Amino acid sequence: SSSMDSPFAQGMTQRNAGKAAVKAFSARDYERPGLKQDEIEEIKEAFDLFDTDQSGEIDLKELKAAMSSLGYESKNETIFTMLSELDKDGNASLDFGEFLELMAGKEGKEDKETKEEVNKVFALFDIDHKGHMTVRDVARVARELGERLSMEELTEIVRRACSDEASLEIYPEDFYTVMTKKTFP
């Protein structure tokens, strides 16, 4: 028997589920490389906030309410299109699996696709098309984003990201490594 069968665990599940305790949720069921249990649990909390009637699915009305509470003034059409693209089984609502895929990114997303996305971001830093970015590039982007970082902090960021600390230049492959790794070493 699993640890979820204990009366304590069931009580906790029912208390957390609010009105109707659907099936006991286990983050372990959704775990996959690059996605830890605590991340899955955070996504589940967001899912539960959207799933206001606790049905275990987010329907069009709930999605619309969630989007407007996030400040998206969207017409029904936009949300309907979004829902139909995300709704894998065609039942006009998102179950947790579909929501998780949306929030955590596609499972085993093509590396090529990821590389293209990262390269687009790299280009925003390397506006002079030098093929690498410098402390000055990072400083400019930080400033544009309203981040107040000292030259020392910026240099440290670049030093950690580049493969050659002497040059303090971040090349696309360094940037890709930084962007695809979950945490800094």
Side-chain angles (χ1 to χ4, degrees):
S1 87
S2 78
S3 61
M4 289 309 286
D5 294 337
S6 78
F8 174 74
Q10 285 174 341
M12 289 301 287
T13 304
Q14 280 160 350
R15 214 179 66 205
N16 292 345
K19 295 190 258 306
V22 191
K23 193 172 120 285
F25 174 76
S26 168
R28 201 173 301 129
D29 298 343
Y30 296 94
E31 229 178 342
R32 60 178 191 239
L35 194 58
K36 295 188 230 39
Q37 277 190 41
D38 57 344
E39 293 170 315
I40 295 166
E41 280 158 13
E42 282 173 20
I43 293 171
K44 177 70 165 96
E45 283 172 26
F47 179 83
D48 290 342
L49 289 175
F50 289 0
D51 179 20
T52 49
D53 66 0
Q54 314 273 289
S55 65
E57 304 218 316
I58 299 173
D59 62 28
L60 190 61
K61 198 171 84 243
E62 290 169 329
L63 185 63
K64 189 170 195 269
M67 296 303 282
S68 61
S69 76
L70 292 171
Y72 290 100
E73 283 308 313
S74 44
K75 299 177 183 59
N76 242 348
E77 208 178 310
T78 314
I79 292 192
F80 193 75
T81 307
M82 203 170 106
L83 184 61
S84 62
E85 280 174 23
L86 301 168
D87 177 24
K88 299 281 181 268
D89 53 15
N91 68 351
S93 63
L94 294 181
D95 61 28
F96 181 66
E98 292 165 330
F99 185 75
L100 181 67
E101 193 166 308
L102 162 72
M103 300 301 281
K106 304 281 178 279
E107 190 168 356
K109 182 157 70 164
E110 287 297 304
D111 285 347
K112 196 173 96 268
E113 202 181 310
T114 308
K115 205 160 181 75
E116 283 169 16
E117 290 169 11
V118 172
N119 284 342
K120 283 179 194 162
V121 178
F122 184 86
L124 298 174
F125 283 86
D126 180 23
I127 51 170
D128 308 327
H129 309 293
K130 300 180 295 293
H132 64 268
M133 66 175 92
T134 60
V135 175
R136 183 178 287 136
D137 295 319
V138 176
R140 178 185 48 78
V141 172
R143 215 175 27 254
E144 286 170 7
L145 295 173
E147 291 291 332
R148 292 171 176 265
L149 297 168
S150 70
M151 220 46 197
E152 205 175 302
E153 290 168 315
L154 291 162
T155 305
E156 175 62 12
I157 290 169
V158 173
R159 192 189 60 71
R160 283 178 168 216
C162 67
S163 46
D164 175 18
E165 289 188 19
S167 71
L168 282 182
E169 292 170 347
I170 302 173
Y171 286 86
E173 44 283 4
D174 302 326
F175 190 65
Y176 181 77
T177 304
V178 170
M179 295 300 284
T180 54
K181 252 197 310 209
K182 290 282 187 209
T183 50
F184 256 117

